[in-house]
Amino acid sequence: MRIDIITVLPDILESPFNHSIIKRAKEKGLAEIYIHNLRDYSENKHHKVDDYSFGKGAGMVMAIQPIEKAIETLKGERDYDEIIFTTPDGKLFNQKAANSLSLLENIIILCGHYKGIDQRIRDHYITMEISVGDYVLTGGELAAAIITDSVVRLLPGVLSDETSALTDSFQDNLLSPPVYTRPAEYKGMKVPDVLLSGNDKLVDDWKHDQAIERTKKLRPDLYKKFLDD
Ligand code: ADE
């Protein structure tokens, strides 16, 4: 899968994809992630990418020209399945959306900034608008990192069987059960006996029950979905 991220702050996205699982996915050739500096596409002599908004209203707006050029340049090189814009007024991102995106070949993520982008870009180029939560970030870069991370880890071959994404929280609208490691007892705090029993069936049943209990207690909204689906 190829992900092209267009941003005015490429430095923010230097680190998130250069560690651990995502780094290995890139090294194995399972994911290609390219960061594009929007300023490189500006035809303004000062590489400006924003301007005052028409009508009354405070704040700068990301201008149409550099974004149009960046998107058109990329589209001229390959077909894209989705052109995503990160914005607090987008559709709330969740595991199901990550699963769907992980099936695609090429996507562009345009990171929002300032007071928004010229609406004509949203109308004519953007195919999907995503919010990563009901709060406002300084820019869309962290949202793009969240989307990319959650999608890349789902690509076939990225995770081993042991860390399989199928057992992740949210995959069945359930949170993950609690986990423990050695020692079996620490300062009087014990690991549940069932996990030491060596009986796979008992362990699996316990984990499932715990996942249900946790979800019911911590995320009643998700538990309702689990019952309904
Ligand atoms: N940009 C600013 N806030 C955001 C959010 N919550 N989700 C996606 N992009 C954003």
Side-chain angles (χ1 to χ4, degrees):
M1 179 181 193
R2 175 178 171 126
I3 303 177
D4 288 277
I5 304 178
I6 303 171
T7 168
V8 284
L9 293 172
D11 291 354
I12 295 185
L13 293 167
E14 271 305 309
S15 176
F17 311 130
N18 285 327
H19 301 278
S20 165
I21 289 170
I22 308 301
K23 182 182 180 196
R24 281 203 299 280
K26 290 197 304 179
E27 286 168 354
K28 284 199 222 164
L30 301 168
E32 290 175 74
I33 303 169
Y34 296 94
I35 315 292
H36 306 275
N37 189 343
L38 186 62
R39 290 180 206 285
D40 294 343
Y41 297 89
S42 172
E43 284 166 3
N44 175 278
K45 66 172 182 247
H46 303 295
H47 303 289
K48 236 169 80 100
V49 292
D50 59 343
D51 215 327
Y52 295 100
S53 70
F54 279 123
K56 282 217 186 85
M60 303 295 275
V61 174
M62 284 168 77
I64 188 166
Q65 181 278 313
I67 299 176
E68 184 266 349
K69 190 169 176 189
I71 292 176
E72 282 302 346
T73 303
L74 289 168
K75 276 172 61 174
E77 291 160 3
R78 69 197 59 77
D79 289 334
Y80 284 91
D81 303 299
E82 295 287 358
I83 302 179
I84 297 165
F85 175 52
T86 55
T87 172
D89 55 13
K91 187 162 181 245
L92 217 47
F93 193 60
N94 58 18
Q95 189 63 43
K96 205 168 146 205
N99 290 345
S100 308
L101 290 180
S102 75
L103 301 174
L104 304 178
E105 202 74 25
N106 301 314
I107 61 170
I108 292 175
I109 305 178
L110 171 67
C111 304
H113 244 275
Y114 311 108
K115 271 288 165 199
I117 58 172
D118 192 301
Q119 183 62 34
R120 289 166 290 184
I121 289 289
R122 295 174 79 156
D123 294 342
H124 296 284
Y125 291 94
I126 300 301
T127 61
M128 185 181 273
E129 301 189 330
I130 295 181
S131 163
V132 295
D134 288 339
Y135 43 79
V136 178
L137 299 165
T138 310
E141 285 71 21
L142 296 178
I146 287 170
I147 295 165
T148 303
D149 185 292
S150 64
V151 168
V152 168
R153 64 196 301 286
L154 295 172
L155 299 176
V158 170
L159 297 181
S160 63
D161 280 352
E162 228 170 57
T163 54
S164 166
L166 293 175
T167 59
D168 280 348
S169 275
F170 301 112
Q171 279 300 0
D172 312 315
N173 290 324
L174 283 179
L175 301 177
S176 293
V179 291
Y180 299 87
T181 185
R182 288 184 293 182
E185 183 172 345
Y186 183 77
K187 295 188 177 176
M189 295 176 278
K190 291 185 177 164
V191 168
D193 287 338
V194 60
L195 294 179
L196 311 174
S197 69
N199 183 327
D200 287 348
K201 165 95 177 72
L202 278 183
V203 169
D204 286 346
D205 289 350
W206 179 86
K207 283 186 176 173
H208 190 62
D209 290 347
Q210 287 287 317
I212 291 175
E213 281 313 308
R214 263 191 158 186
T215 311
K216 213 173 181 177
K217 188 168 155 211
L218 302 175
R219 289 290 305 274
D221 55 320
L222 206 59
Y223 180 64
K224 191 169 174 307
K225 271 198 203 162
F226 165 72
L227 293 179
D228 291 347
D229 282 0

